[in-house]
Amino acid sequence: MSASSASKGAKPAKKSSVSPAKGGTTTAEKKQATPAAKKPQNQSNKGLVRPAPRAKVRRARLVVSKVDTWSVLKLAFLLSVALGIITVVASLVLWLVLNLTGLFDGINEMLSMLGGNAGGTDIKEFLSLGNVALFATIISVVNVILLTALSVLGALLYNIAAALIGGIGVTLTDD
């Protein structure tokens, strides 16, 4: 008998859906593995998930070798404008509080007692709300100009110094 006639008489083998040569499992292996893999519903899965191992803290040492003067100008301008707004609002609130507490009237009484003049100077005419707001606004505008100019000058001086000595070293860590 030849090899081809012997193979005709034998039962044909079942074809598996996955070839074992490719590293997969056959359907027969899957049927055997499934009953063992099933767990009862009432057991908890506490042991299945493990926490990730804690990684080492990474550190990077960087050097600030140059500061962009245009970005310093924009940031300094915005911060000084915010400071100017705070100055104006704070001075107006302070004037209102002093007026409500009667401090200006007390100062007028004290000045009239010291000066002897009954119709003397009124401090409210000199320190009126409009004058205080105007003075605070002028101070704020001058501060905006000075702080912006000084910040840009500081950035330019830092760039010159960093070119000579290397800049500021910064260490960053990954927590």
Side-chain angles (χ1 to χ4, degrees):
M1 213 160 74
S2 70
S4 62
S5 64
S7 64
K8 285 181 184 177
K11 291 183 181 179
K14 289 186 179 179
K15 292 185 179 179
S16 65
S17 60
V18 177
S19 167
K22 292 182 181 177
T25 58
T26 62
T27 53
E29 291 172 351
K30 284 183 183 177
K31 287 181 183 176
Q32 291 175 356
T34 26
K38 288 185 179 178
K39 288 186 175 180
Q41 294 284 341
N42 59 2
Q43 289 184 354
S44 73
N45 295 333
K46 286 183 182 176
L48 293 180
V49 179
R50 293 183 187 159
R54 186 170 173 107
K56 292 182 180 178
V57 176
R58 294 184 298 175
R59 292 185 180 203
R61 179 150 164 59
L62 303 173
V63 175
V64 181
S65 61
K66 185 177 187 244
V67 177
D68 186 27
T69 53
W70 180 247
S71 64
V72 168
L73 176 96
K74 292 187 293 186
L75 184 66
F77 178 74
L78 286 176
L79 290 177
S80 61
V81 166
L83 183 66
I85 292 170
I86 290 170
T87 303
V88 171
V89 170
S91 64
L92 294 178
V93 169
L94 181 64
W95 187 90
L96 288 173
V97 168
L98 292 177
N99 188 31
L100 288 176
T101 57
L103 184 72
F104 295 130
D105 295 330
I107 291 174
N108 283 335
E109 287 178 16
M110 185 179 71
L111 287 177
S112 67
M113 282 179 17
L114 291 176
N117 234 351
T121 58
D122 188 18
I123 192 120
K124 265 191 173 175
E125 288 177 12
F126 178 69
L127 290 177
S128 68
L129 183 61
N131 286 345
V132 169
L134 180 66
F135 185 69
T137 305
I138 291 171
I139 294 294
S140 297
V141 169
V142 170
N143 272 341
V144 166
I145 294 169
L146 285 177
L147 287 175
T148 304
L150 287 176
S151 298
V152 171
L153 182 65
L156 289 172
L157 289 175
Y158 176 80
N159 288 339
I160 292 170
L164 293 174
I165 60 172
I168 296 175
V170 179
T171 303
L172 302 174
T173 59
D174 185 19
D175 287 337

